[in-house]
Amino acid sequence: MRARHPLRGQCARSVPCKDAQVDDIRSRLRSTFQWIGDRTDAGFRADVTGWWRDATILGEIGAGLAALFGDADPTVVMGTQSRGSILGVLTALHLGVGFAEVRKEPSPSADSDAWWTTATAPDYRDRHLDLGLRRSRLRSGDRVLFVDDWIDTGAQASACRRLVDLSGASWLGGAVVVDGLGEPALRRRLTIRSLLHIRDL
Ligand SMILES: O=P(O)(O)OC[C@H]1O[C@H](OP(=O)(O)OP(=O)(O)O)[C@H](O)[C@@H]1O
Protein backbone atom coordinates (compact mmCIF):
# COMPACT_ATOMS: atom_id res chain seq x y z
CA MET A 1 0.00 0.00 0.00
CA ARG A 2 1.23 3.51 -0.81
CA ALA A 3 2.53 5.44 2.21
CA ARG A 4 -0.08 7.60 3.88
CA HIS A 5 0.28 11.22 2.83
CA PRO A 6 0.73 13.54 5.82
CA LEU A 7 -1.70 16.11 4.45
CA ARG A 8 -4.49 13.74 3.51
CA GLY A 9 -7.95 14.69 4.69
CA GLN A 10 -10.17 12.72 7.01
CA CYS A 11 -11.24 10.25 4.34
CA ALA A 12 -7.81 8.86 3.43
CA ARG A 13 -7.68 5.86 1.09
CA SER A 14 -6.85 3.56 3.99
CA VAL A 15 -9.97 4.90 5.76
CA PRO A 16 -12.72 4.80 3.11
CA CYS A 17 -14.91 7.87 2.96
CA LYS A 18 -18.16 7.05 4.77
CA ASP A 19 -21.51 7.46 3.07
CA ALA A 20 -22.53 10.06 5.64
CA GLN A 21 -19.45 12.15 4.84
CA VAL A 22 -20.19 12.01 1.11
CA ASP A 23 -23.81 12.97 1.84
CA ASP A 24 -22.54 15.98 3.81
CA ILE A 25 -20.26 17.02 0.93
CA ARG A 26 -23.18 16.71 -1.52
CA SER A 27 -25.39 18.83 0.73
CA ARG A 28 -22.72 21.55 1.05
CA LEU A 29 -22.10 21.56 -2.70
CA ARG A 30 -25.81 22.13 -3.31
CA SER A 31 -26.19 24.88 -0.72
CA THR A 32 -23.15 26.88 -1.92
CA PHE A 33 -24.00 26.60 -5.64
CA GLN A 34 -26.09 29.16 -7.50
CA TRP A 35 -27.52 29.72 -10.91
CA ILE A 36 -26.89 33.24 -12.25
CA GLY A 37 -29.54 34.97 -14.34
CA ASP A 38 -32.85 33.77 -15.65
CA ARG A 39 -33.13 30.39 -17.35
CA THR A 40 -34.43 32.12 -20.47
CA ASP A 41 -31.42 34.53 -20.64
CA ALA A 42 -28.51 33.90 -22.98
CA GLY A 43 -26.21 34.72 -20.03
CA PHE A 44 -27.76 32.14 -17.69
CA ARG A 45 -24.91 30.26 -16.08
CA ALA A 46 -23.73 28.12 -13.20
CA ASP A 47 -21.71 29.73 -10.44
CA VAL A 48 -19.50 27.31 -8.52
CA THR A 49 -17.30 29.97 -6.87
CA GLY A 50 -19.16 29.40 -3.59
CA TRP A 51 -17.49 25.97 -3.43
CA TRP A 52 -14.02 27.51 -3.28
CA ARG A 53 -15.15 29.90 -0.51
CA ASP A 54 -16.25 27.05 1.77
CA ALA A 55 -13.32 25.71 3.81
CA THR A 56 -15.12 22.45 4.60
CA ILE A 57 -15.70 21.76 0.92
CA LEU A 58 -12.05 22.48 0.15
CA GLY A 59 -11.03 20.09 2.91
CA GLU A 60 -13.33 17.26 1.88
CA ILE A 61 -14.04 17.49 -1.84
CA GLY A 62 -10.88 15.60 -2.79
CA ALA A 63 -11.94 12.71 -0.58
CA GLY A 64 -15.46 12.82 -2.00
CA LEU A 65 -14.28 12.65 -5.60
CA ALA A 66 -11.73 9.93 -4.82
CA ALA A 67 -14.47 7.90 -3.11
CA LEU A 68 -16.33 7.64 -6.44
CA PHE A 69 -13.47 5.39 -7.59
CA GLY A 70 -12.60 3.91 -4.20
CA ASP A 71 -11.50 0.56 -5.63
CA ALA A 72 -9.61 1.84 -8.69
CA ASP A 73 -6.15 2.61 -7.24
CA PRO A 74 -5.09 5.45 -9.57
CA THR A 75 -1.42 6.35 -9.87
CA VAL A 76 -2.10 9.87 -11.13
CA VAL A 77 -4.97 12.36 -11.34
CA MET A 78 -5.53 14.37 -14.54
CA GLY A 79 -7.47 17.62 -14.91
CA THR A 80 -7.91 20.54 -17.31
CA GLN A 81 -7.23 24.15 -16.46
CA SER A 82 -8.75 25.77 -14.61
CA ARG A 83 -11.37 24.15 -12.40
CA GLY A 84 -10.27 20.64 -13.26
CA SER A 85 -6.83 21.61 -11.98
CA ILE A 86 -8.17 22.95 -8.68
CA LEU A 87 -10.23 19.83 -8.00
CA GLY A 88 -7.66 17.49 -9.50
CA VAL A 89 -4.94 18.72 -7.16
CA LEU A 90 -7.23 18.37 -4.14
CA THR A 91 -8.09 14.81 -5.19
CA ALA A 92 -4.46 13.91 -5.86
CA LEU A 93 -3.48 15.31 -2.47
CA HIS A 94 -6.03 13.06 -0.80
CA LEU A 95 -4.90 10.00 -2.74
CA GLY A 96 -1.20 10.68 -2.20
CA VAL A 97 -0.48 10.67 -5.96
CA GLY A 98 0.65 13.34 -8.42
CA PHE A 99 -1.34 15.53 -10.78
CA ALA A 100 -1.05 15.75 -14.60
CA GLU A 101 -2.20 19.16 -15.83
CA VAL A 102 -3.96 19.46 -19.19
CA ARG A 103 -3.55 22.89 -20.77
CA LYS A 104 -5.90 24.62 -23.16
CA GLU A 105 -4.29 25.95 -26.35
CA PRO A 106 -0.77 24.81 -25.34
CA SER A 107 2.27 26.41 -26.94
CA PRO A 108 5.37 24.19 -26.73
CA SER A 109 8.43 26.41 -26.32
CA ALA A 110 11.14 24.21 -27.89
CA ASP A 111 11.62 20.98 -29.83
CA SER A 112 12.61 19.31 -26.57
CA ASP A 113 9.28 20.38 -25.02
CA ALA A 114 7.19 17.45 -26.25
CA TRP A 115 3.42 17.44 -25.82
CA TRP A 116 0.52 15.15 -26.59
CA THR A 117 -2.18 17.32 -28.18
CA THR A 118 -5.71 16.79 -29.49
CA ALA A 119 -8.64 18.99 -30.52
CA THR A 120 -12.01 18.71 -28.81
CA ALA A 121 -15.34 18.27 -30.50
CA PRO A 122 -17.58 21.31 -29.90
CA ASP A 123 -17.85 21.76 -26.12
CA TYR A 124 -20.64 23.36 -24.08
CA ARG A 125 -19.65 26.77 -25.48
CA ASP A 126 -19.34 25.36 -29.00
CA ARG A 127 -15.54 25.72 -28.87
CA HIS A 128 -13.04 23.46 -30.59
CA LEU A 129 -10.22 23.65 -28.07
CA ASP A 130 -6.72 22.29 -28.46
CA LEU A 131 -5.85 20.38 -25.30
CA GLY A 132 -2.29 19.43 -24.49
CA LEU A 133 -0.30 17.47 -21.95
CA ARG A 134 3.47 17.41 -21.59
CA ARG A 135 4.46 13.88 -22.62
CA SER A 136 6.69 13.44 -19.59
CA ARG A 137 3.71 13.81 -17.23
CA LEU A 138 2.26 10.35 -17.98
CA ARG A 139 3.97 6.99 -18.19
CA SER A 140 2.71 3.95 -20.04
CA GLY A 141 1.96 2.11 -16.80
CA ASP A 142 -0.03 4.94 -15.24
CA ARG A 143 -3.64 4.44 -14.17
CA VAL A 144 -5.30 7.81 -14.72
CA LEU A 145 -8.28 9.25 -12.85
CA PHE A 146 -9.77 12.28 -14.63
CA VAL A 147 -11.34 14.93 -12.37
CA ASP A 148 -13.48 17.96 -13.24
CA ASP A 149 -16.13 20.20 -11.76
CA TRP A 150 -18.70 19.66 -14.50
CA ILE A 151 -19.33 17.56 -17.58
CA ASP A 152 -21.78 18.78 -20.18
CA THR A 153 -21.12 17.64 -23.76
CA GLY A 154 -18.19 15.51 -22.61
CA ALA A 155 -16.02 16.99 -25.37
CA GLN A 156 -13.18 17.98 -23.06
CA ALA A 157 -13.27 14.71 -21.11
CA SER A 158 -13.26 12.72 -24.36
CA ALA A 159 -10.23 14.69 -25.57
CA CYS A 160 -8.46 13.99 -22.28
CA ARG A 161 -9.10 10.30 -22.76
CA ARG A 162 -7.45 10.54 -26.17
CA LEU A 163 -4.40 12.14 -24.52
CA VAL A 164 -4.24 9.23 -22.08
CA ASP A 165 -4.54 6.75 -24.95
CA LEU A 166 -1.73 8.55 -26.84
CA SER A 167 0.54 8.23 -23.81
CA GLY A 168 -0.05 4.49 -23.43
CA ALA A 169 -1.43 4.96 -19.90
CA SER A 170 -4.80 3.52 -18.77
CA TRP A 171 -7.99 5.55 -18.34
CA LEU A 172 -9.86 4.55 -15.17
CA GLY A 173 -12.72 7.02 -15.58
CA GLY A 174 -13.85 10.50 -14.68
CA ALA A 175 -14.88 11.72 -11.21
CA VAL A 176 -16.86 14.92 -11.61
CA VAL A 177 -18.85 17.08 -9.24
CA VAL A 178 -21.80 17.68 -11.58
CA ASP A 179 -22.97 15.33 -14.30
CA GLY A 180 -24.89 17.32 -16.90
CA LEU A 181 -24.30 14.85 -19.72
CA GLY A 182 -27.12 14.58 -22.19
CA GLU A 183 -25.77 11.41 -23.74
CA PRO A 184 -25.89 8.34 -21.45
CA ALA A 185 -23.69 6.36 -23.84
CA LEU A 186 -20.85 8.78 -23.17
CA ARG A 187 -21.23 8.30 -19.41
CA ARG A 188 -20.64 4.59 -19.90
CA ARG A 189 -17.91 4.99 -22.52
CA LEU A 190 -15.89 7.36 -20.33
CA THR A 191 -16.89 5.72 -17.01
CA ILE A 192 -18.16 8.98 -15.53
CA ARG A 193 -19.24 9.03 -11.88
CA SER A 194 -20.47 12.14 -10.11
CA LEU A 195 -21.32 13.60 -6.72
CA LEU A 196 -24.34 15.44 -8.12
CA HIS A 197 -26.53 15.28 -11.18
CA ILE A 198 -27.54 18.57 -12.78
CA ARG A 199 -31.15 17.91 -11.79
CA ASP A 200 -30.02 18.10 -8.12
CA LEU A 201 -29.18 21.80 -8.57
O1 LIG B 1 -18.41 18.69 -21.14
P1 LIG B 1 -17.87 19.89 -21.87
O2 LIG B 1 -18.87 20.49 -22.81
O3 LIG B 1 -16.55 19.58 -22.53
O4 LIG B 1 -17.59 21.03 -20.81
C1 LIG B 1 -17.08 20.79 -19.52
C2 LIG B 1 -15.84 21.59 -19.27
O5 LIG B 1 -16.14 22.98 -19.40
C3 LIG B 1 -15.83 23.67 -18.18
O6 LIG B 1 -14.57 24.25 -18.24
P2 LIG B 1 -14.26 25.59 -18.99
O7 LIG B 1 -13.69 25.29 -20.34
O8 LIG B 1 -15.44 26.51 -18.95
O9 LIG B 1 -13.07 26.21 -18.14
P3 LIG B 1 -12.93 26.57 -16.58
O10 LIG B 1 -12.62 25.30 -15.87
O11 LIG B 1 -11.80 27.52 -16.56
O12 LIG B 1 -14.25 27.17 -16.14
C4 LIG B 1 -15.82 22.59 -17.12
O13 LIG B 1 -14.97 22.94 -16.07
C5 LIG B 1 -15.35 21.38 -17.88
O14 LIG B 1 -13.94 21.33 -17.89
Side-chain angles (χ1 to χ4, degrees), residues 6-7 44 52 70 109 111 114 117-118 139 143-144 147 153 156 161 191 197:
L7 294 180
F44 180 67
W52 319 138
S109 57
D111 287 348
T117 60
T118 188
R139 304 180 194 102
R143 296 161 50 79
V144 183
V147 165
T153 65
Q156 293 189 36
R161 180 169 191 162
T191 318
H197 190 275

Side-chain angles (χ1 to χ4, degrees), residues 63 65 139 149 154 180:
L65 288 165
R139 304 180 194 102
D149 65 325

Side-chain angles (χ1 to χ4, degrees), residues 14-106:
S14 53
V15 182
C17 204
K18 294 193 170 61
D19 289 349
Q21 289 172 287
V22 176
D23 286 346
D24 180 60
I25 295 167
R26 287 190 168 108
S27 169
R28 283 179 177 277
L29 288 167
R30 277 198 301 270
S31 65
T32 52
F33 170 86
Q34 59 179 346
W35 291 108
I36 303 289
D38 189 276
R39 282 180 193 272
T40 57
D41 290 347
F44 180 67
R45 66 187 58 193
D47 175 21
V48 303
T49 56
W51 297 346
W52 319 138
R53 186 63 180 82
D54 185 302
T56 303
I57 289 178
L58 287 187
E60 296 186 356
I61 189 74
L65 288 165
L68 297 172
F69 284 82
D71 53 352
D73 203 24
T75 61
V76 62
V77 173
M78 162 190 267
T80 54
Q81 69 174 112
S82 56
R83 289 169 179 158
S85 291
I86 295 172
L87 290 169
V89 166
L90 292 172
T91 306
L93 187 62
H94 170 78
L95 289 167
V97 301
F99 175 72
E101 182 187 49
V102 176
R103 304 288 300 177
K104 290 171 177 160
E105 311 299 339

Side-chain angles (χ1 to χ4, degrees), residues 157-181:
S158 297
C160 285
R161 180 169 191 162
R162 286 197 296 280
L163 294 175
V164 171
D165 291 344
L166 285 168
S167 75
S170 303
W171 173 272
L172 296 175
V176 301
V177 179
V178 179
D179 180 346
L181 272 172

